[in-house]
């Protein structure tokens, strides 16, 4: 029958004593004590022996095992992200009511005209603790419009012939049709329609509408555009008058 092996060091107290320590130490002090003890325990050193050498190593391992840091605890679940109040450029222009989900709640929020991306809308007593909740605002592109700062942006298809020959261009904007004149031989890539951006609010000025002109063979010609404007103005009732 095989004899049961006994540990080289029976207790932590004995382990500290083998390292020349009277009590627990940590870090650099513990390492320094082990180096001194293991050097003195070498068989070739005065007073050293194989048994003392093995026991010094066992003492070091015992202390290391008991003082090693515990495994890192699982990171705490991050708090739920604050919901973003996403609105369309038309909501930012005119204001209105939008829905926002806060946890399991669905709220209908009234937004004022002129909100910009990066601003915050305060909802009184809507927080989990009954305090105010500040929702970051994001003006997300929709309905052919996008918003950057105070200004709005859209694209408008234009017949290549109109860009080459020049003439009157009618742009359908959120505020109704607006006219611009194109100069022959000069092809602007973008038009600025003043005052058609986001409305002034607080310290923010009135924005502008920037229209990017895109050559398109599918765009109505100048004659077709005149016909559209004629039929818009001269309705059957007006012609019969």
């Amino acid at each position: 029958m095989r004899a049961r092996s006994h540990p080289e060091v029976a207790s932590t107290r004995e382990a500290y004593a083998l390292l020349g320590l009277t009590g627990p130490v940590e870090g650099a002090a513990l390492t320094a004590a082990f180096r001194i003890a293991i050097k003195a325990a070498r068989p070739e050193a005065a007073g050293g022996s194989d048994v003392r050498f093995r026991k010094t190593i066992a003492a070091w391992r015992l202390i290391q095992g008991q003082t090693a840091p515990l495994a890192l605890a699982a990171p705490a679940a991050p708090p739920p992200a604050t919901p973003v109040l996403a609105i369309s450029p038309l909501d930012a222009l005119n204001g209105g009511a939008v829905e926002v989900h806060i946890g399991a709640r669905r709220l209908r929020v009234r937004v004022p005209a002129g909100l910009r991306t990066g601003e915050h809308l305060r909802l009184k007593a809507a927080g989990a603790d009954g305090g105010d909740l500040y929702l970051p605002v994001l003006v997300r592109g929709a309905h052919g419009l996008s918003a950057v700062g105070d200004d709005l942006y859209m694209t408008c298809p234009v017949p290549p012939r109109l860009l080459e020959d020049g003439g009157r261009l009618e742009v359908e904007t959120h505020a109704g049709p607006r006219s611009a004149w194109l100069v022959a031989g000069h092809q602007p890539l973008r038009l600025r329609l003043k005052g058609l951006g986001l409305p002034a609010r607080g310290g923010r000025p009135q924005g502008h509408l920037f229209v990017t002109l895109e050559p398109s063979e599918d765009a109505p010609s100048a004659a077709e555009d005149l016909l559209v404007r004629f039929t818009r103005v001269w309705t059957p009732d007006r012609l019969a008058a």
Side-chain angles (χ1 to χ4, degrees):
M1 183 175 181
R2 182 178 298 177
R4 181 177 297 177
S5 60
H6 296 281
E8 296 280 353
V9 180
S11 66
T12 306
R13 182 176 180 180
E14 182 185 356
Y16 280 116
L18 284 168
L19 299 186
L21 300 170
T22 58
V25 295
E26 296 179 356
L30 179 61
T31 303
F34 169 71
R35 288 176 177 172
I36 294 172
I38 197 66
K39 185 176 181 181
R42 290 181 180 277
E44 64 272 16
S49 66
D50 289 336
V51 174
R52 183 179 173 186
F53 187 78
R54 291 197 310 271
K55 294 187 73 170
T56 302
I57 295 176
W60 167 255
R61 289 175 177 172
L62 178 62
I63 295 173
Q64 284 288 92
Q66 295 190 0
T67 60
L70 298 176
L72 294 177
T82 302
V84 174
L85 180 62
I87 60 176
S88 70
L90 293 181
D91 293 328
L93 274 166
N94 307 313
V98 298
E99 286 190 351
V100 60
H101 295 268
I102 303 176
R105 295 179 296 167
R106 184 174 64 180
L107 303 179
R108 193 163 182 81
V109 179
R110 187 79 182 176
V111 298
L115 281 179
R116 269 79 165 166
T117 293
E119 293 185 357
H120 289 76
L121 184 67
R122 185 181 72 169
L123 302 183
K124 294 183 179 180
D129 57 355
D132 294 345
L133 183 64
Y134 292 83
L135 297 182
V137 176
L138 172 64
V139 183
R140 184 175 293 163
H143 312 294
L145 287 173
S146 60
V148 178
D150 306 321
D151 302 317
L152 295 177
Y153 293 80
M154 64 171 288
T155 59
C156 177
V158 181
R161 187 64 178 269
L162 182 60
L163 290 174
E164 295 173 3
D165 299 341
R168 181 177 178 178
L169 171 67
E170 187 172 273
V171 182
E172 289 292 340
T173 74
H174 61 85
R178 293 292 187 274
S179 296
W181 285 93
L182 303 182
V183 179
H186 178 68
Q187 298 185 8
L189 297 178
R190 180 176 289 172
L191 301 176
R192 185 181 71 167
L193 302 181
K194 295 182 179 180
L196 293 186
L198 297 180
R201 181 173 182 269
R204 304 296 293 265
Q206 174 77 43
H208 308 297
L209 174 62
F210 290 87
V211 182
T212 299
L213 305 181
E214 290 188 345
S216 172
E217 296 292 348
D218 296 331
S221 64
E224 292 172 329
D225 182 60
L226 285 173
L227 178 60
V228 169
R229 288 190 283 115
F230 175 83
T231 55
R232 183 188 300 126
V233 175
W234 293 96
T235 62
D237 293 340
R238 189 166 182 177
L239 290 172

